[in-house]
């Protein structure tokens, strides 16, 4: 049986950096303990709090865990570590640039500085980013232009030659609480997960956002996002041990009260305490759906559009707000915006409907936007463009093009227009997926590799994407890279022995944005058997492990 050598002390004990100079001489040289793979696997299984996973995700052959257990950290090469370190600051720039882009797209005087074709493209992308979303979402005036997320998490696919590809940048990242819990276990075994530590960074991030506010901290989880509840509760228990309090509550446990100056405050109903920073563990498209179900007609929306009319509606039309449930209601969502506008509350990650998880790839490859991106991103524009795969949005105007014409950047691909690209017998390495802002865009649910589909299936999918556009759902067609095939080892609890497979890897660095700067706080790796296809996401057959 394989023996694994691990160190008993580490420089980063997940959130607490130690200085070798502060340690006694006898502690500077780490002691090496040899553990068997079985001992590591048993330790992880016996010490991981099982209640951070719902019962339906607990798999018997995985030792009761939702995934297979690695007995070592996923090793990151020096080259990949360097790229990940460089990526954080570049993504902060990208978020700022996207904020500027969206506000620019409605500013006619500033648009005058661009050529006519560039102005058309900027307005085109505003249309795409607003498409299918409720007026509450697209007309919301309460989100400051300068807002950044607290957490940025890109999905990175490892390609041959140590290259990386950004599959998407998650608008509402999950999994970071789980990563912190698991990383601490590997750390106890003497391994050194890569990053500064998530709990420490989360605390620092919240405190930096609350510097000038009167209130506490809360993670608000809706019924639609209930899957993240256990990991958030476990994370806050860890923080509680470090004398930092952050509540985990439902939307119905947030009440709103006005003070004598007519300012609206969010209140934690459990404690009666004002909330200064609210971390939203819910998707913005769920909030959008709450409005669409209650106020589907534009004329209804006009009654609620102004703050004054909305306040009046709270008392006159309680039935429009929905029951007090664990789910989102329009009353809850809109009052969050009022608090944010009045600067009594910070909501993170920001409520930005225009942050599309996947359409960024098409935007950054749009030739007409290159002057804008270069101005905003500088040299990081080329760095990021090389990481994003070439992509094109499935807009009806691109469905069919004149014979001999091609989409910009797709000149070497078969077919004129997106429809022919989908149906062409030599479609090549292309895939289709929903751009974002939709439940079907999560967990690779909408991803379809064209070279794996029959002609009939491609015809069906072609019809679907154009019908979906009419329903407000935007698809992308994208170049599909071939991931690097890697040997993957894990512990098989059923046979009580080591096992392995050949698989593809997705790594997720978690950058916490503290005072405008990116802090790489942890990296996880998901490794899925190559025999199951190129969709790399977490399943019961995949290995999930911190990277080191």
């Amino acid at each position: 049986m394989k023996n694994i050598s691990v160190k008993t002390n580490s420089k980063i004990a997940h959130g607490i950096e130690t200085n070798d100079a502060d340690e006694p001489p006898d502690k500077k040289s780490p002691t090496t303990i040899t553990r068997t793979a079985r001992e590591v696997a048993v330790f992880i299984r016996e010490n991981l709090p099982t209640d951070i996973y719902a019962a339906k995700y607990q798999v018997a052959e995985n030792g009761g865990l939702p995934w297979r257990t690695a007995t070592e950290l996923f090793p990151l090469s020096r080259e990949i570590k360097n790229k990940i370190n460089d990526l954080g600051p570049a993504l902060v720039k990208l978020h700022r640039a996207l904020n500027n882009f969206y506000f620019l797209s409605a500013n006619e005087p500033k648009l005058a500085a661009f050529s006519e074709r560039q102005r058309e493209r900027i307005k085109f992308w505003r249309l795409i980013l607003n498409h299918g979303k409720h007026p509450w979402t697209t007309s919301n005036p309460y989100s400051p232009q300068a807002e950044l997320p607290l957490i940025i998490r890109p999905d990175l696919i490892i390609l041959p030659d140590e290259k990386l590809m950004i599959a998407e940048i998650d608008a509402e990242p999950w999994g970071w609480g789980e990563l912190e819990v698991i990383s601490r276990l590997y750390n106890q075994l003497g391994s050194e997960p890569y990053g500064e530590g998530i709990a420490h960074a989360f605390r620092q991030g919240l405190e930096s956002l609350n510097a000038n506010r009167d209130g506490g901290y809360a993670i608000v989880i809706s019924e639609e996002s209930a899957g993240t509840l256990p990991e958030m509760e476990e994370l806050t228990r860890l923080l509680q041990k470090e004398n930092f309090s952050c509540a985990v509550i439902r939307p119905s446990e947030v009440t709103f009260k006005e003070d004598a100056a007519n300012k609206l405050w969010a209140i934690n109903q459990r404690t009666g305490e004002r909330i200064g920073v609210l971390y939203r563990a819910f998707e913005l498209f769920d909030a959008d759906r709450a409005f669409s179900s209650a106020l589907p007609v534009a004329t209804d929306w006009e009654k609620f559009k102004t703050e004054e009319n909305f306040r009046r509606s709270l008392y006159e039309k309680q039935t429009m707000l929905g029951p007090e449930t664990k789910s989102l209601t329009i009353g809850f969502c809109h009052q969050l915006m009022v608090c944010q506008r009045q600067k009594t509350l910070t909501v993170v990650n920001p409520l930005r409907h225009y942050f599309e998880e996947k359409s960024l790839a098409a935007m950054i490859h749009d030739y007409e936007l290159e002057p804008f991106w270069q101005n905003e991103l500088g040299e990081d524009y080329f760095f990021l463009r090389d990481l994003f795969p070439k992509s094109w949005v499935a807009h009806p105007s691109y469905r069919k093009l004149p014979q001999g014409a091609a989409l910009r950047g797709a000149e070497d691909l078969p077919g004129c227009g997106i429809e022919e690209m989908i149906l062409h017998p030599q479609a090549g390495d292309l895939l289709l997926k929903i751009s974002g802002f939709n439940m079907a865009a999560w967990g690779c649910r909408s991803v379809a590799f064209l070279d794996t589909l029959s002609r009939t299936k491609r015809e069906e999918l072609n019809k679907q994407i154009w019908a979906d556009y009419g329903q407000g759902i935007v698809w992308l067609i994208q170049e599909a890279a071939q991931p690097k095939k890697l040997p993957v080892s894990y512990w098989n609890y059923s046979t009580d022995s080591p096992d392995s497979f050949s698989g593809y890897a997705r790594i997720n660095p978690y950058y916490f944005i503290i005072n405008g700067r990116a802090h790489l706080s942890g990296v996880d790796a998901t490794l899925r058997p190559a025999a199951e296809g190129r969709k790399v996401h977490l399943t019961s057959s995949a290995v999930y492990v911190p990277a080191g």
Side-chain angles (χ1 to χ4, degrees):
M1 185 177 294
K2 182 180 179 182
N3 292 330
I4 298 170
S5 296
V6 295
K7 298 176 183 179
T8 60
N9 67 318
S10 78
K11 288 189 177 181
I12 299 179
H14 254 75
I16 304 173
E17 290 200 40
T18 62
N19 187 336
D20 286 348
D22 297 333
E23 296 179 352
D26 60 332
K27 290 190 177 181
K28 287 185 180 180
S29 300
T31 302
T32 299
I33 297 176
T34 301
R35 298 181 187 271
T36 66
R38 185 179 189 279
E39 287 174 329
V40 174
V42 169
F43 180 84
I44 297 297
R45 182 184 64 185
E46 291 183 349
N47 289 277
L48 187 65
T50 55
D51 59 357
I52 69 171
Y53 304 110
K56 66 179 180 179
Y57 298 123
Q58 297 175 17
V59 182
E61 54 263 39
N62 290 342
L65 303 178
W67 29 258
R68 290 168 167 169
T69 301
T71 54
E72 296 179 290
L73 300 180
F74 179 74
L76 297 173
S77 68
R78 174 49 53 191
E79 187 173 352
I80 286 182
K81 283 182 178 178
N82 289 340
K83 289 178 180 177
I84 291 174
N85 291 337
D86 292 340
L87 182 57
L91 290 178
V92 171
K93 281 188 183 179
L94 182 60
H95 275 269
R96 287 197 175 106
L98 185 62
N99 289 346
N100 293 340
F101 178 89
Y102 188 75
F103 283 84
L104 166 70
S105 66
N107 190 322
E108 290 293 339
K110 288 190 176 181
L111 283 174
F114 294 85
S115 70
E116 183 177 352
R117 289 186 64 178
Q118 289 166 350
R119 289 197 299 271
E120 288 176 358
R121 293 303 293 170
I122 292 170
K123 291 179 179 180
F124 167 83
W125 277 108
R126 182 181 180 88
L127 181 150
I128 293 295
L129 296 175
N130 287 346
H131 185 66
K133 295 162 187 172
H134 193 274
W136 170 83
T137 309
T138 58
S139 302
N140 172 14
Y142 306 150
S143 185
Q145 182 174 347
E147 278 193 334
L148 290 171
L150 175 60
I151 306 169
I152 299 176
R153 191 201 82 175
D155 288 3
L156 304 177
I157 305 299
I158 296 182
L159 306 180
D161 302 320
E162 300 300 274
K163 292 182 179 179
L164 296 173
M165 181 192 76
I166 299 177
E168 68 173 51
I169 302 173
D170 210 326
E172 183 49 46
W174 293 9
W176 44 277
E178 175 185 23
L179 175 59
E180 174 69 6
V181 173
I182 297 170
S183 293
R184 290 190 179 211
L185 295 181
Y186 282 94
N187 188 253
Q188 287 178 45
L189 290 168
S191 298
E192 298 185 24
Y194 197 55
E196 299 176 10
I198 284 174
H200 181 64
F202 182 57
R203 174 178 180 169
Q204 280 192 316
L206 292 181
E207 289 176 334
S208 71
L209 293 167
N210 204 28
N212 299 313
R213 297 195 190 282
D214 176 16
Y217 307 97
I219 300 171
V220 176
I221 302 176
S222 69
E223 182 64 21
E224 295 86 350
S225 300
T228 195
L229 177 63
E231 64 169 299
M232 291 294 99
E233 288 181 331
E234 183 63 25
L235 178 73
T236 54
R237 280 194 288 268
L238 294 175
L239 288 169
Q240 188 70 49
K241 293 177 182 177
E242 299 171 8
N243 299 315
F244 181 81
S245 180
C246 180
V248 179
I249 55 180
R250 300 287 195 174
S252 59
E253 295 176 301
V254 180
T255 58
F256 296 88
K257 292 183 180 179
E258 282 187 336
D259 61 16
N262 293 323
K263 282 197 170 185
L264 192 67
W265 297 84
I267 309 294
N268 180 344
Q269 197 174 61
R270 292 185 188 178
T271 63
E273 180 186 38
R274 287 177 175 178
I275 302 171
V277 181
L278 183 150
Y279 183 87
R280 63 171 182 96
F282 58 84
E283 299 279 3
L284 187 51
F285 61 73
D286 286 326
D288 185 84
R289 185 172 58 185
F291 270 79
S292 296
S293 61
L295 300 171
V297 183
T299 52
D300 289 336
W301 160 247
E302 292 302 324
K303 299 174 186 176
F304 290 80
K305 192 170 183 179
T306 67
E307 184 177 327
E308 180 182 356
N309 287 346
F310 182 79
R311 294 290 190 84
R312 190 180 301 117
S313 74
L314 291 177
Y315 306 101
E316 294 178 356
K317 293 193 176 183
Q318 286 290 335
T319 56
M320 296 293 287
L321 303 181
E324 286 299 319
T325 68
K326 299 173 184 177
S327 297
L328 300 169
T329 66
I330 61 175
F332 170 79
C333 297
H334 199 106
Q335 287 181 99
L336 281 186
M337 298 300 98
V338 174
C339 288
Q340 196 167 23
R341 183 185 188 187
Q342 295 184 345
K343 299 183 179 179
T344 62
L345 177 70
T346 297
V347 179
V348 288
N349 283 343
L351 292 145
R352 300 177 303 165
H353 73 280
Y354 52 85
F355 183 82
E356 288 274 6
E357 298 169 341
K358 303 169 182 67
S359 65
L360 270 172
M363 292 180 70
I364 207 162
H365 278 286
D366 190 318
Y367 175 78
E368 297 296 344
L369 299 185
E370 186 170 314
F372 171 82
W373 291 124
Q374 285 199 32
N375 183 62
E376 293 284 330
L377 302 173
E379 291 184 0
D380 283 328
Y381 164 63
F382 301 101
F383 172 57
L384 289 169
R385 190 183 65 180
D386 288 345
L387 291 172
F388 281 104
K390 285 186 179 180
S391 308
W392 303 268
V393 65
H395 185 267
S397 64
Y398 297 161
R399 182 172 184 175
K400 295 181 179 180
L401 297 179
Q403 194 62 34
L407 295 173
R408 188 66 180 258
E411 294 85 356
D412 296 334
L413 298 174
C416 300
I418 288 176
E419 182 166 276
E420 281 195 25
M421 290 167 70
I422 294 170
L423 300 177
H424 200 283
Q426 280 86 42
D429 289 333
L430 294 172
L431 63 83
L432 284 165
K433 59 184 176 183
I434 293 175
S435 175
F437 211 80
N438 188 286
M439 190 61 184
W442 177 78
C444 293
R445 296 180 186 185
S446 66
V447 175
F449 290 88
L450 295 182
D451 60 357
T452 67
L453 302 179
S454 66
R455 169 77 183 194
T456 301
K457 288 291 185 183
R458 280 186 278 140
E459 288 174 348
E460 291 174 357
L461 191 54
N462 179 59
K463 291 178 182 178
Q464 180 184 341
I465 66 171
W466 305 116
D468 279 353
Y469 190 88
Q471 299 298 314
I473 300 171
V474 179
W475 286 73
L476 294 179
I477 188 167
Q478 190 174 84
E479 287 189 339
Q482 180 62 44
K484 181 180 181 179
K485 197 172 286 188
L486 300 164
V488 183
S489 300
Y490 68 98
W491 189 259
N492 189 322
Y493 291 103
S494 296
T495 63
D496 199 26
S497 63
D499 212 334
S500 63
F501 60 80
S502 178
Y504 301 132
R506 183 194 76 194
I507 55 175
N508 296 112
Y510 292 80
Y511 304 99
F512 281 72
I513 313 307
I514 303 170
N515 296 320
R517 299 185 65 180
H519 292 251
L520 178 57
S521 304
V523 184
D524 63 25
T526 300
L527 303 112
R528 193 174 182 213
E532 296 180 6
R534 284 177 282 173
K535 296 181 184 180
V536 188
H537 61 110
L538 195 56
T539 62
S540 61
S541 61
V543 166
Y544 174 78
V545 64

